[in-house]
Amino acid sequence: MPLIKNGARLQDPWFAVATEEELDRSGPMLVPLALWQEHRDRLVDRVGPIGIRLASHESPAAIAGDLERFDLVALEFPKFTDGRAFSYARLLRERHGFTGEIRAVGHVLRDQIAFLLRCGFDAFDLDERAAAGWQAATGAFSAWYQPAADADAPIPARRRYAVPARASVAVIRSEPVQPPAPEPAACAANWAY
Amino acid sequence: MYRYDEFDHTFVTQRVAQFREQVARRIAGELTEDEFKPLRLMNGLYLQLHAYMLRVAIPYGTLSSRQLRQLGYIARRYDRGYGHFTTRQNIQFNWPTLKDVPDILADLAAVEMHAIQTSGNCIRNTTADATAGVAADEVADSRIYCEIIRQWSTLHPEFSFLPRKFKIAVTGSGRDRAVTAAHDIGLRLKLDADGNPGFEVLVGGGQGRTPILAVTIREFLPERHLLSYLEAILRVYNQLGRRDNIYKARIKILVRETGRDEFARLVEEEWAHIRDGELRLPDGEIERIQAYFAPPAYQALDDACPELAVQRAGNRAFDAWVGSNVEAHKRPGYAVVTISLKPHGGIPGDASAEQMEAVADLADRYGFGEIRVTYKQNLLLPDIRKGDLFALWQGLVAAGLATANAHRVTDIIACPGLDYCNLANARAIPVAQAISERFADPERERAIGNVTVNISGCINACAHHHVANIGILGVDKKGKEFYQVTLGGAADENAAIGDIVGPAFDEDRIADAVETVVDVYLAERRGADEPFIDTYRRIGLKPFKEKLYAAH
Ligand code: SF4
């Protein structure tokens, strides 16, 4: 399946570890939580990059203390309807300050991509069809109503600071959102009344 | 009323474009029905027994005359000339074709409406007190908070794939007119010691096969924290709610299994992290929304209206209608009018395109162009001068909308049941019609007084039969339709879940059974001012049960 990161197709550099034996390999290595917990002592001394893969019932709280050791957190979607990882990603970005890659793996729909981006995911394992629809899936809306983990000012902030409805840039952020500088003169402009 | 600004307009327009493209992919065969399903559900489009059904959101049940006229237009142009108002203050169109749905959504967007989140496992349209803004006892207008919730919850990126659907209700005072105890989250407006508005927060109410009343997890939440607190509740639920069993996935099960105190602790812990973040409502935001709901230009009137007394004395039918369908307003000389969508023997909640247009015209002529949709599947005109009631009533008579039965035994809530719904075990509409015909005599109905009768076609309980004074549930017994009766439920601030009387009744005997229940009440009540529910609470199930099963 194509890997898309920050909007671009990539070769996946990560090796997905499935068994204990594979832990001896070199290069970037994606480890399921159970293996990480069992072999943590040995893995912390490893030189190459490590990623962690969490099933949908495994909260990132379980690895909060180790987060700086990981370059990648992969969150599983066993079915697209299992939305736990939307919360996990936001917690990783907004609560734990994780700045590495957050990747959606498993069953995600093209029409969920915009939500995933807003929650802090920046990489996606997608099937061909979903990957082909990336543009349409991410460009459908120019602004959203609520704050999330992305850098876009939400509609309430745009109203307050008079940012036009159509100005939009989709950037992944790991810093808390800074509202655009207020333009005092424009604040009075309230289209609503 | 709330009016869309540039942001709202852009948003719904983009939503329509997105769905148009999704429908095109479906029609071209690029999407299978399975893949299309979650997309159409997010836009309120269900596949029912015979056809698609489109459920349109009426945020907190408030409509302008222009919007109601547009709903009439949609009913005529794309449907079979009528629409069906639901207990959740939405409207459903039962016969649209798939290819027309994007056009319907565009027509809705033109009048600042949409069908976003009227289905799917997301935060649904917020239920409000239908008399918000005009009820004498309200602490604050619940529509303000419902609009704030509507915006925050619309296409929420984190909460669009919850374990199960999620419903929030807001009532403007201690009197519960939005069935808050039966919602996933119930918010009851109240004032703190310094007179600042806020909410009592309840969680975990629900109906379905496990009816549970919501429990209070916070006695007072200051209004500026509304969204951060909701986000904390939803975040706890999204992570911990059960996903292994659809019947255990609602928040009520999580709250019950976790325990109220522990659940409250988890919410407070989450909230502590986010309460002073971006979701905290900044100074001026509540006032900004409040300005949309400023009172209309009321006239200074005397509360007494001698003209009305004369008109009532001169016309029995009008007098009866005022007696049941007209309620007090907080402004002197004004009244709140319920337009019954329950003609005797008719389909509860249905309105024809012509009727929608007639109500819109009457709202313009005698009100301020505003209409509410009530939990009881009726319409309500919030601001009618008492001196205009007679003329309004004549207009309603002409439109076939003057049934004098609000809150009475024939003001029945019924779900679509087996006539439309593919989850149904039994028909609900014909049962409602049979009961309604049974009690069609206005004198008798008036003598019986206020009682709630709700009929659900299956255990999903869309008609809220558990919290009806007389609840009726359709069940399937070896391929035959039967009806189980519960008594003593209540949907107000003293909410209660009804007690099952005993074995179910078949289709031919269910109207008799309801009549028997009513007869027992009439025989047992202590005078005409003891309503059904009070008599039931005083005498209990036994006398009803004995009479119901006496012959068997
Ligand atoms: S209660 Fe059952 S039959 Fe009635 S609308 Fe709900 S799911 Fe359908």
Side-chain angles (χ1 to χ4, degrees):
Chain A
M1 292 214 294
L3 174 68
I4 298 203
K5 186 169 178 187
N6 292 331
R9 277 174 187 251
L10 291 183
Q11 252 328 314
D12 188 357
W14 291 85
F15 178 79
V17 172
T19 64
E20 186 182 335
E21 292 69 51
E22 290 169 343
L23 289 174
D24 295 326
R25 296 174 58 115
S26 58
M29 195 164 83
L30 180 59
V31 185
L33 178 67
L35 280 180
W36 165 260
Q37 286 173 331
E38 198 179 328
H39 302 282
R40 185 179 177 284
D41 291 347
R42 145 181 173 213
L43 289 169
V44 291
D45 294 330
R46 187 176 187 273
V47 211
I50 295 191
I52 186 103
R53 179 173 170 129
L54 301 177
S56 67
H57 65 276
E58 293 167 344
S59 161
I63 46 146
D66 279 331
L67 267 182
E68 76 277 12
R69 300 180 193 282
F70 304 127
D71 296 283
L72 161 67
V73 178
L75 299 173
E76 283 178 25
F77 287 79
K79 299 188 289 253
F80 74 87
T81 50
D82 186 340
R84 283 176 275 199
F86 289 99
S87 288
Y88 297 161
R90 284 196 68 182
L91 288 170
L92 282 167
R93 293 281 186 234
E94 297 171 60
R95 182 81 31 92
H96 304 299
F98 182 67
T99 55
E101 174 178 329
I102 301 182
R103 185 187 293 190
V105 297
H107 186 199
V108 289
L109 304 180
R110 146 184 163 174
D111 302 88
Q112 290 178 303
I113 293 170
F115 290 158
L116 292 163
L117 282 168
R118 297 211 65 215
C119 287
F121 287 89
D122 56 356
F124 307 85
D125 246 344
L126 292 177
D127 66 31
E128 262 311 329
R129 236 166 14 128
W134 176 272
Q135 277 307 335
T138 53
F141 292 92
S142 52
W144 305 88
Y145 280 106
Q146 56 297 98
D150 55 354
D152 260 6
I155 289 171
R158 289 171 188 241
R159 282 186 175 128
R160 280 198 289 287
Y161 303 110
V163 180
R166 284 171 197 283
S168 165
V169 267
V171 202
I172 302 299
R173 69 136 191 217
S174 43
E175 301 292 308
V177 113
Q178 293 301 323
E183 296 164 41
C187 281
N190 202 328
W191 309 278
Y193 298 103
Chain B
M1 286 205 45
Y2 185 70
R3 295 302 312 264
Y4 279 15
D5 65 8
E6 178 194 356
F7 293 100
D8 302 304
H9 275 296
T10 304
F11 192 88
V12 292
T13 306
Q14 291 174 335
R15 180 62 166 179
V16 173
Q18 182 192 43
F19 192 59
R20 196 178 288 284
E21 188 259 358
Q22 290 165 343
V23 168
R25 272 151 69 203
R26 171 71 189 115
I27 290 173
E30 287 169 39
L31 288 173
T32 65
E33 178 51 34
D34 268 2
E35 292 168 321
F36 181 56
K37 186 176 168 190
L39 308 180
R40 66 171 164 76
L41 286 180
M42 293 289 283
N43 286 283
L45 190 62
Y46 284 75
L47 196 51
Q48 291 202 324
L49 279 179
H50 315 289
Y52 282 110
M53 177 272 278
L54 179 68
R55 183 182 294 154
V56 174
I58 299 174
Y60 35 93
T62 300
L63 284 169
S64 66
S65 53
R66 177 165 169 255
Q67 291 173 324
L68 185 56
R69 247 178 235 115
Q70 187 82 331
L71 294 176
Y73 167 79
I74 289 168
R76 187 178 293 120
R77 170 123 164 66
Y78 303 103
D79 204 288
R80 296 185 179 175
Y82 62 92
H84 176 77
F85 290 96
T86 77
T87 55
R88 304 217 54 264
Q89 304 174 305
N90 295 313
I91 184 168
Q92 298 182 175
F93 293 107
N94 282 314
W95 307 99
T97 62
L98 180 57
K99 73 166 183 22
D100 284 341
V101 173
D103 293 336
I104 300 176
L105 296 181
D107 288 345
L108 288 169
V111 293
E112 309 182 3
M113 296 182 75
H114 59 68
I116 297 169
Q117 286 169 213
T118 55
S119 69
N121 293 336
C122 52
I123 303 169
R124 303 289 188 87
N125 187 15
T126 303
T127 308
D129 175 346
T131 52
V134 296
D137 63 353
E138 79 181 4
V139 165
D141 188 333
S142 50
R143 293 172 300 170
I144 300 162
Y145 306 97
C146 290
E147 176 57 28
I148 291 171
I149 294 169
R150 182 190 74 82
Q151 297 193 20
W152 160 78
S153 63
T154 295
L155 301 194
H156 196 296
E158 184 178 350
F159 305 134
S160 290
F161 296 89
L162 297 167
R164 202 75 177 85
K165 59 187 168 184
F166 202 91
K167 299 173 181 178
I168 302 174
V170 188
T171 189
S173 76
R175 281 207 47 206
D176 192 357
R177 286 180 288 252
V179 211
T180 55
H183 281 75
D184 296 288
I185 295 179
L187 299 170
R188 295 180 180 170
L189 273 150
K190 63 198 279 200
L191 299 176
D192 70 5
D194 301 323
N196 302 308
F199 308 92
E200 177 184 351
V201 182
L202 295 91
V203 293
Q207 313 248 346
R209 69 181 60 202
T210 320
I212 298 179
L213 298 175
V215 293
T216 300
I217 56 165
R218 192 165 234 283
E219 286 295 341
F220 189 81
L221 177 75
E223 56 177 3
R224 66 183 171 279
H225 293 306
L226 172 64
L227 296 183
S228 59
Y229 204 80
L230 293 179
E231 186 135 312
I233 296 172
L234 266 299
R235 184 168 287 159
V236 169
Y237 170 58
N238 190 40
Q239 294 179 83
L240 301 180
R242 287 183 61 171
R243 292 174 187 266
D244 57 333
N245 179 340
I246 186 173
Y247 298 114
K248 301 197 165 160
R250 294 290 287 266
I251 196 173
K252 63 188 176 185
I253 304 292
L254 177 65
V255 173
R256 196 177 64 177
E257 289 181 353
T258 316
R260 175 182 65 175
D261 294 348
E262 174 61 8
F263 184 82
R265 192 192 65 74
L266 291 168
V267 170
E268 295 281 329
E269 186 178 282
E270 176 58 37
W271 184 52
H273 290 287
I274 59 175
R275 55 176 283 171
D276 295 315
E278 234 185 307
L279 280 175
R280 183 186 163 121
L281 294 169
D283 288 347
E285 178 62 7
I286 291 168
E287 291 75 6
R288 189 182 75 81
I289 301 287
Q290 194 169 30
Y292 289 107
F293 298 100
Y298 291 118
Q299 295 169 341
L301 298 174
D302 267 351
D303 199 41
C305 182
E307 199 184 339
L308 174 61
V310 173
Q311 288 157 339
R312 287 187 73 166
N315 187 316
R316 286 186 60 158
F318 174 62
D319 181 54
W321 178 80
V322 173
S324 55
N325 290 40
V326 175
E327 283 164 78
H329 192 287
K330 72 176 173 192
R331 299 295 283 240
Y334 282 86
V336 179
V337 171
T338 297
I339 299 174
S340 170
L341 298 181
K342 318 287 176 66
H344 290 127
I347 298 176
D350 271 12
S352 68
E354 294 71 27
Q355 289 177 325
M356 292 185 226
E357 285 155 359
V359 171
D361 290 345
L362 292 168
D364 281 340
R365 195 163 333 140
Y366 301 113
F368 294 93
E370 187 174 329
I371 301 102
R372 310 281 176 84
V373 182
T374 76
Y375 160 70
K376 293 209 69 171
Q377 302 179 280
N378 290 319
L379 300 178
L380 184 142
L381 299 179
D383 304 295
I384 303 297
R385 282 190 312 211
K386 287 182 177 175
D388 287 336
L389 284 170
F390 190 67
L392 169 69
W393 176 75
Q394 289 175 312
L396 291 172
V397 170
L401 288 169
T403 315
N405 64 349
H407 312 296
R408 304 286 205 236
V409 63
T410 63
D411 188 2
I412 298 169
I413 295 179
C415 78
L418 200 52
D419 292 295
Y420 296 98
C421 176
N422 43 13
L423 302 171
N425 284 325
R427 287 166 300 160
I429 292 169
V431 173
Q433 291 172 310
I435 295 170
S436 173
E437 272 160 15
R438 190 68 69 96
F439 291 98
D441 172 12
E443 288 305 321
R444 183 173 174 222
E445 189 166 18
R446 179 146 44 141
I448 295 164
N450 289 0
V451 55
T452 57
V453 179
N454 302 24
I455 309 171
S456 301
C458 82
I459 193 62
N460 286 322
C462 296
H464 297 187
H465 65 274
H466 295 298
V467 290
N469 299 164
I470 303 175
I472 299 172
L473 164 66
V475 292
D476 173 278
K477 278 194 188 173
K478 303 195 182 93
K480 271 200 73 186
E481 295 163 65
F482 276 76
Y483 297 89
Q484 191 182 75
V485 174
T486 50
L487 297 180
D492 57 10
E493 58 281 6
N494 301 311
I497 288 165
D499 309 309
I500 297 175
V501 287
F505 301 92
D506 68 20
E507 197 195 336
D508 299 329
R509 290 186 48 241
I510 182 64
D512 296 338
V514 173
E515 198 162 18
T516 304
V517 167
V518 169
D519 288 343
V520 172
Y521 156 65
L522 290 174
E524 297 281 344
R525 73 178 177 186
R526 288 183 178 156
D529 53 3
E530 185 180 70
F532 178 91
I533 186 69
D534 290 2
T535 304
Y536 181 82
R537 285 177 178 157
R538 182 168 55 74
I539 67 175
L541 187 63
K542 204 158 154 260
F544 294 95
K545 196 172 176 140
E546 280 170 5
K547 225 4 183 256
L548 278 169
Y549 299 102
H552 300 269

